[in-house]
Amino acid sequence: MRYITVFILSLIFWLLLTFKLTVPNIIVGAVASLICSLIFTRFFISNVYKLLQPHRYFWFIIYLVVFIWECIKANLDVAYRVLHPAMPIRPGIVKVKTTLKSDLAKTLLANSITMTPGTITVDIIDDYLYIHWIYVRSEDPEVYTGLITGAFEKYIKRIIE
Amino acid sequence: MIVYWLCFILFLVGLYGVITRRNLVKIAISLSIMEFSTFLFFALVGYIDGGVAPIVDPADPVKVYVDPLPQALVLTAIVIGLATTSMLMAVIIRLYRKYGTFDIREIKNLRG
Amino acid sequence: MKGMTLIVKKTTQLIAGMVFMYGIYIIVHGHLTPGGGFAGGVVIAGSFILLILAFGSDFLNLVKEESGSTLYENLAILVVLFLAVSGLLFGTRVFFLNWFPKGTVGQLVSAGMLPLYNIFVGIEVAASILTIFLALIIFKEEISE
Amino acid sequence: MELAISVIVGLMILGALYAIHAKDLLSAVIASGIVGYGLVICFLLLKAPDLAIVQIVVETITLIIMVAVVFDSSREESFSKPDTQGYVSAITAVFLIIVLFYFFKISVSALDVFGESTLRMAGPYIEGATEKTGSANLVTGVVFDFRGYDTLGEATVLVTAVLGVLTILRLKGKK
């Protein structure tokens, strides 16, 4: 099952690269995808059945909208801090506990946090994310956990777990 | 013309590094800088104003192409450069394990 | 050698296959678009190096044995030599004779034997660069033990 | 076009000078990356996409190998007082540079002006090349058809280099 998934994903990637639907192209792509699936399947994500459940894609689209909105807000915030003559920054590293269980979900959360300006994920150790923040708004763990991961976490849980 | 001169100066910088530096890693870096300047010189010689990259489109034949011969020579030379650099690195890491230093003059004095 | 953090590992799992497919694309389309055996071979070696760097050398059990990639490399250069010699059998006394039917310019299957040369030179370059990298990794591990 | 390439080559010269004179070996290695990646941009501006693809990947792998060599060594370059040998090598370098400068000044006048290459040697490789080789990419046609011997020799050099690396690094052999 995992082999077939990797095969189909590689073939789709090949067709997007070449963008031609001729017979030799598809044959060459199929052979290349076969080699790719034989080599790289054991490094691929383990639970591929979730790729077939359509409601996850629905939540993913909603998550994209939420993410872009958060991104715009963070952009304006960072632009304000940069352009302000007094430079009101208060940088620091905070330790955030996440409720997500799977590794892929943690990675998606970390990448989302890194993509929004102002926050950068430094490391993940077990359930804790170490995040560098340009303006540490509060030092209470519950408050800053809600501020940083609150917008993303529930959608990511619906997408991946 | 000034591009040729700058390319030559890049070569001279690499030569200066090879002669005067005592650290083996820096000598390897200087050698690769000399390599790069040579590649750049070949690519500069083959360039033509208004030419396009040497890929023929059968539907739309363009008259002027950039010279493909220096590009083919440089193409093989780049991969050979990688091979020689990694071989140099292998020698350097061996010497470091044996003598514990990158300094070429100390290695010469040690005579191990 | 230890692996990197969780973020790098998970991203590598998703990306490595794509890098590999991109290398094959560059090799196979070498006679139509920029690229060819050298570029694609280095990209394929890069995908394996990415895996080894991200997961650490313990994760791949092929790391302790670099003879496999050396075997591929020698086989590939033998095939290139054989293809070059095969012109002698079918044509006049010309080394590197392109005796395959040429096809129309711009199609994927065209240019006679050039795609075959591309493919095998690609395998050769990928295997040799991977071998050099594995030799360095194994050497450093043996030193640190 | 000439101006843009001149600016990039100037940056490459600065990067090379820093790489040669840096105190920390790791920063020297990373500064040498300026030269390699600047070369990629030069290739792209000079209409050589094949070379750009090869160079960008090769430079990355070279940097990985160099960092792997440098990373767990002492890294600090030991600066001692310049002795007579150092002066002798510096004088040699200056002398050699002056001589090479003179020769290049003579030989550069024989080159064509930049951008007006007259295609003396490339004429037979371009005219009718697509009919002869069937390849749309002229560089691939030259590499594998017209100059196949070069490619074979290159592959041989690569195999020899790999054998050399294995011989040097695996002296102990399997126990």
Side-chain angles (χ1 to χ4, degrees):
Chain A
M1 184 62 199
R2 287 173 66 195
Y3 283 90
I4 297 170
T5 315
V6 176
F7 180 81
I8 291 171
L9 285 178
S10 324
L11 195 57
I12 290 172
F13 183 66
W14 175 270
L15 291 178
L16 284 178
L17 266 181
T18 58
F19 227 76
K20 268 184 294 187
L21 270 181
T22 54
V23 177
N25 190 20
I26 293 175
I27 291 173
V28 172
V31 173
S33 311
L34 190 66
I35 299 170
C36 181
S37 65
L38 284 181
I39 296 175
F40 286 97
T41 301
R42 36 188 195 125
F43 313 117
F44 200 64
I45 51 175
S46 52
N47 203 346
V48 295
Y49 296 99
K50 289 175 180 167
L51 281 173
L52 298 176
Q53 295 167 349
H55 64 271
R56 294 185 190 276
Y57 295 101
F58 170 71
W59 283 111
F60 184 68
I61 291 167
I62 290 180
Y63 170 72
L64 276 185
V65 176
V66 171
F67 173 69
I68 289 170
W69 173 240
E70 290 287 326
C71 217
I72 290 171
K73 272 202 303 189
N75 263 313
L76 291 177
D77 184 56
V78 172
Y80 162 73
R81 284 184 203 290
V82 171
L83 293 176
H84 197 280
M87 287 267 281
I89 59 172
R90 191 179 162 211
I93 291 182
V94 294
K95 180 180 174 187
V96 177
K97 188 178 191 327
T98 173
T99 54
L100 298 170
K101 288 292 175 287
S102 80
D103 288 347
L104 192 63
K106 281 182 207 162
T107 307
L108 184 54
L109 179 63
N111 279 339
S112 307
I113 290 171
T114 305
M115 289 274 285
T116 44
T119 48
I120 288 175
T121 309
V122 181
D123 204 350
I124 302 179
I125 295 172
D126 295 332
D127 275 349
Y128 292 98
L129 274 71
Y130 291 81
I131 292 166
H132 179 270
W133 204 1
I134 197 172
Y135 188 83
V136 181
R137 295 216 178 120
S138 83
E139 290 174 6
D140 185 18
E142 288 184 8
V143 177
Y144 66 66
T145 305
L147 274 174
I148 291 178
T149 64
F152 302 132
E153 213 167 28
K154 53 179 185 280
Y155 296 103
I156 291 176
K157 195 172 279 184
R158 288 206 174 105
I159 292 170
I160 287 176
E161 290 183 347
Chain B
M1 272 303 144
I2 191 166
V3 185
Y4 292 131
W5 279 104
L6 283 172
C7 185
F8 181 64
I9 289 172
L10 188 62
F11 180 84
L12 289 183
V13 168
L15 188 73
Y16 164 76
V18 168
I19 293 176
T20 58
R21 292 297 104 180
R22 293 164 53 174
N23 195 311
L24 279 170
V25 177
K26 287 198 176 172
I27 290 177
I29 289 173
S30 310
L31 275 175
S32 64
I33 287 170
M34 285 166 77
E35 260 175 21
F36 288 161
S37 74
T38 319
F39 300 158
L40 181 61
F41 187 75
F42 267 84
L44 285 174
V45 168
Y47 180 73
I48 299 169
D49 264 341
V52 297
I55 291 159
V56 177
D57 190 357
D60 176 31
V62 189
K63 288 293 178 286
V64 185
Y65 293 109
V66 173
D67 196 346
L69 183 62
Q71 296 193 10
L73 296 180
V74 174
L75 188 65
T76 53
I78 289 176
V79 181
I80 291 181
L82 173 61
T84 50
T85 307
S86 45
M87 184 145 170
L88 211 57
M89 281 297 156
V91 175
I92 289 171
I93 196 171
R94 255 295 170 203
L95 282 174
Y96 185 78
R97 289 302 166 202
K98 189 159 167 59
Y99 296 108
T101 177
F102 280 135
D103 197 325
I104 192 167
R105 227 170 282 166
E106 280 181 34
I107 292 173
K108 218 186 326 183
N109 291 335
L110 280 174
R111 296 195 186 280
Chain C
M1 200 175 85
K2 276 189 290 187
M4 295 189 181
T5 62
L6 189 76
I7 307 173
V8 182
K9 277 183 186 168
K10 281 291 158 185
T11 315
T12 306
Q13 282 184 341
L14 298 174
I15 291 296
M18 284 188 201
V19 177
F20 185 79
M21 291 295 286
Y22 184 61
I24 290 183
Y25 164 75
I26 286 182
I27 287 181
V28 173
H29 287 241
H31 54 291
L32 302 178
T33 54
F38 297 105
V42 185
V43 172
I44 287 179
S47 77
F48 286 106
I49 288 175
L50 178 67
L51 271 181
I52 295 171
L53 283 180
F55 283 99
S57 47
D58 300 332
F59 189 80
L60 299 167
N61 37 18
L62 58 102
V63 143
K64 283 290 175 192
E65 194 61 59
E66 78 270 16
S67 61
S69 49
T70 321
L71 182 70
Y72 283 126
E73 181 193 355
N74 293 332
L75 275 182
I77 194 168
L78 267 183
V79 173
V80 170
L81 254 182
F82 172 74
L83 286 175
V85 170
S86 71
L88 296 178
L89 303 176
F90 290 91
T92 52
R93 299 178 196 85
V94 182
F95 209 43
F96 278 100
L97 182 71
N98 195 350
W99 56 272
F100 267 23
K102 299 285 197 305
T104 50
V105 175
Q107 296 298 310
L108 182 58
V109 180
S110 69
M113 285 166 71
L114 296 191
L116 292 177
Y117 285 135
N118 260 331
I119 289 170
F120 287 104
V121 167
I123 293 174
E124 198 253 337
V125 171
S128 54
I129 289 171
L130 191 62
T131 313
I132 291 172
F133 188 73
L134 287 183
L136 268 173
I137 292 285
I138 296 171
F139 178 76
K140 285 174 87 79
E141 282 192 348
E142 281 177 353
I143 289 298
S144 60
E145 271 169 8
Chain D
M1 180 59 72
E2 191 174 3
L3 187 68
I5 295 173
S6 303
V7 170
I8 293 169
V9 178
L11 286 178
M12 283 160 67
I13 290 171
L14 290 183
L17 280 174
Y18 181 74
I20 287 175
H21 286 104
K23 281 206 177 87
D24 190 21
L25 277 184
L26 191 61
S27 54
V29 167
I30 291 170
S32 80
I34 295 173
V35 185
Y37 290 120
L39 191 60
V40 175
I41 301 173
C42 284
F43 282 154
L44 277 180
L45 288 177
L46 290 170
K47 307 285 165 54
D50 306 77
L51 302 184
I53 294 175
V54 181
Q55 175 67 28
I56 194 166
V57 191
V58 161
E59 180 62 29
T60 310
I61 292 178
T62 311
L63 279 186
I64 290 175
I65 289 176
M66 281 193 177
V67 168
V69 169
V70 167
F71 200 64
D72 56 4
S73 60
S74 62
R75 275 173 51 184
E76 278 296 314
E77 194 180 9
S78 55
F79 275 102
S80 56
K81 247 176 30 180
D83 49 354
T84 46
Q85 213 172 349
Y87 286 129
V88 166
S89 58
I91 291 171
T92 316
V94 170
F95 182 69
L96 212 60
I97 283 172
I98 289 172
V99 171
L100 282 177
F101 217 78
Y102 177 67
F103 278 111
F104 190 78
K105 191 166 178 287
I106 292 174
S107 58
V108 79
S109 60
L111 284 170
D112 296 321
V113 181
F114 175 71
E116 295 176 10
S117 172
T118 47
L119 287 178
R120 279 187 305 273
M121 51 186 179
Y125 288 107
I126 288 182
E127 283 158 24
T130 47
E131 286 77 30
K132 283 180 203 154
T133 63
S135 158
N137 188 350
L138 292 178
V139 176
T140 304
V142 173
V143 165
F144 288 107
D145 201 315
F146 293 117
R147 303 192 76 80
Y149 285 108
D150 281 5
T151 312
L152 192 63
E154 187 270 346
T156 321
V157 169
L158 208 55
V159 172
T160 319
V162 169
L163 287 182
V165 169
L166 285 182
T167 317
I168 292 165
L169 287 186
R170 310 279 282 149
L171 273 180
K172 268 193 290 186
K174 299 191 178 67
K175 285 171 187 164

